[in-house]
Amino acid sequence: MKLEDIYQFFENPPPTYLCQELAVCYILAVLLQGESYGTELIEQLETDYPTYRLSDTVLYSAIKFLEDQRAITGYWKKLEGRGRPRRMYQVSSEWQVQGQDLAFLWQDYINRRRK
């Protein structure tokens, strides 16, 4: 390690990977805007929040948690221009209010981190 490496780290920090708690809130924030599928959730995070990443493992464990809680529902859909059908997810009607509460936690977290 060199002294320049320390400065470089702070100028261009490595991405932060979301834990499952943050992933749940992020997923709900996206799905409240409309349906989506796993790969799209990961890509959207990297586009909208370039310093954050979401691993497949954490994503799908968060999705399983949300499905087990009946917060989201999934169904298969063939998308135009895509090969195989995708598993699409949407927030269940019973979870609209609680989903918004958790989505707010995501937004609050991101806003505090940007300061």
Side-chain angles (χ1 to χ4, degrees), residues 3-104:
L3 189 58
E4 296 84 37
D5 296 335
I6 297 170
Y7 289 108
Q8 181 63 32
F9 175 87
F10 286 98
E11 288 175 19
N12 189 16
T16 301
Y17 280 84
L18 300 187
C19 61
Q20 187 171 350
E21 293 83 358
L22 283 172
V24 164
C25 296
Y26 165 72
I27 291 165
L28 287 168
V30 173
L31 295 182
L32 284 165
Q33 306 302 314
E35 65 185 19
S36 190
Y37 58 94
T39 305
E40 187 176 51
L41 289 165
I42 290 173
E43 291 170 354
Q44 186 171 341
L45 178 71
E46 291 178 13
T47 300
D48 294 348
Y49 307 99
T51 59
Y52 292 92
R53 297 290 183 273
L54 181 55
S55 71
D56 289 348
T57 304
V58 171
L59 171 71
Y60 288 107
S61 65
I63 286 174
K64 172 142 179 33
F65 170 80
L66 288 167
E67 285 185 309
D68 290 348
Q69 298 297 310
R70 300 188 193 282
I72 64 172
T73 57
Y75 64 95
W76 293 100
K77 180 179 181 181
K78 177 80 168 101
L79 299 176
E80 191 71 31
R82 298 284 185 173
R84 60 185 174 79
R86 305 290 177 168
R87 181 84 173 155
M88 303 298 291
Y89 299 98
Q90 59 190 8
V91 178
S92 63
S93 57
E94 307 85 43
W95 261 72
Q96 293 291 317
V97 173
Q98 189 161 10
Q100 295 217 3
D101 289 344
L102 293 172
F104 174 79

